[in-house]
Amino acid sequence: MAAAGDASTALSLTPTVKEPVYASEDMARLAQLGNGVVVQGTDLNTADGYTSGFRLTAGYSSYRLPHFDLGAELTYRASDEVPLAMAGENLLMNTTSVGGSLVAGVRLGHLGLYAKTGFAEWDGDPLERGESAGLATAGTSRVHGFGARLDFASISGRVEFEEIEAQSMEHLNQLTASLHIPF
């Protein structure tokens, strides 16, 4: 009788929801729906201390395509007194950006690869008006990026590159890497 109970557990029609390949273990899981949708969020901070904000990610892992993930990402970033060099002039700028991206990923065993594309609306406020004559201070720019995640039972590694295609927003381009060792 115990063997029959074990078999029914193995044949369960309720699949487990995995994190999408572009999500990370350091994101707070805000919601998980039974249909494969996972909503996560995290604070953003740059190592140089100029930028902070948040990232909200919603991902979907289809039960019919278990190795393919789709998602969307909303990002808000605010930067204070970022030093920029434009046309040979140094200046300080406060910036705010709100962006959205579509994300797609594929899982290949322990390796997951993903790419994202979208747009960011940004606004810059130069603190020194005289030197910023040729500088764009607002606009909409493309956002694109790619990344990889490698998962094993005792270790998980992740690397991601993200770029906003605006010269005034180069300080928001990110290359991040992380290593998670659960204990």
Side-chain angles (χ1 to χ4, degrees):
M1 198 68 164
D6 292 339
S8 66
T9 304
L11 298 175
S12 173
L13 296 177
T14 306
T16 60
V17 177
K18 295 182 178 182
E19 282 185 4
V21 70
Y22 44 83
S24 69
E25 293 177 4
D26 60 346
M27 287 185 151
R29 189 172 285 226
L30 303 175
Q32 177 177 331
L33 307 179
N35 62 358
V37 174
V38 177
V39 180
Q40 295 179 307
T42 187
D43 290 332
L44 295 175
N45 291 302
T46 56
D48 57 18
Y50 296 120
T51 304
S52 62
F54 68 87
R55 175 176 289 160
L56 182 65
T57 303
Y60 176 70
S61 299
S62 172
Y63 300 126
R64 293 190 177 121
L65 297 169
H67 300 288
F68 187 67
D69 299 320
L70 292 174
E73 183 177 276
L74 176 66
T75 306
Y76 169 82
R77 295 178 214 163
S79 303
D80 292 325
E81 299 183 6
V82 177
L84 297 174
M86 302 292 291
E89 297 290 332
N90 294 326
L91 64 112
L92 296 175
M93 181 182 280
N94 294 334
T95 61
T96 303
S97 82
V98 176
S101 298
L102 296 176
V103 188
V106 63
R107 287 187 230 142
L108 308 165
H110 294 287
L111 177 66
L113 302 171
Y114 63 95
K116 66 170 97 175
T117 187
F119 293 96
E121 179 74 23
W122 55 272
D123 184 35
D125 181 22
L127 298 178
E128 300 148 1
R129 294 270 178 209
E131 299 176 3
S132 62
L135 179 66
T137 58
T140 301
S141 298
R142 296 268 319 188
V143 174
H144 53 266
F146 55 90
R149 186 173 81 184
L150 191 58
D151 287 324
F152 293 102
S154 61
I155 193 167
S156 177
R158 175 182 165 86
V159 64
E160 176 178 308
F161 173 74
E162 181 181 81
E163 178 181 36
I164 296 179
E165 293 181 355
Q167 189 175 11
S168 301
M169 297 293 108
E170 285 181 350
H171 67 280
L172 295 180
N173 295 346
Q174 296 181 17
L175 176 60
T176 57
S178 63
L179 189 62
H180 300 274
I181 303 171
F183 56 93

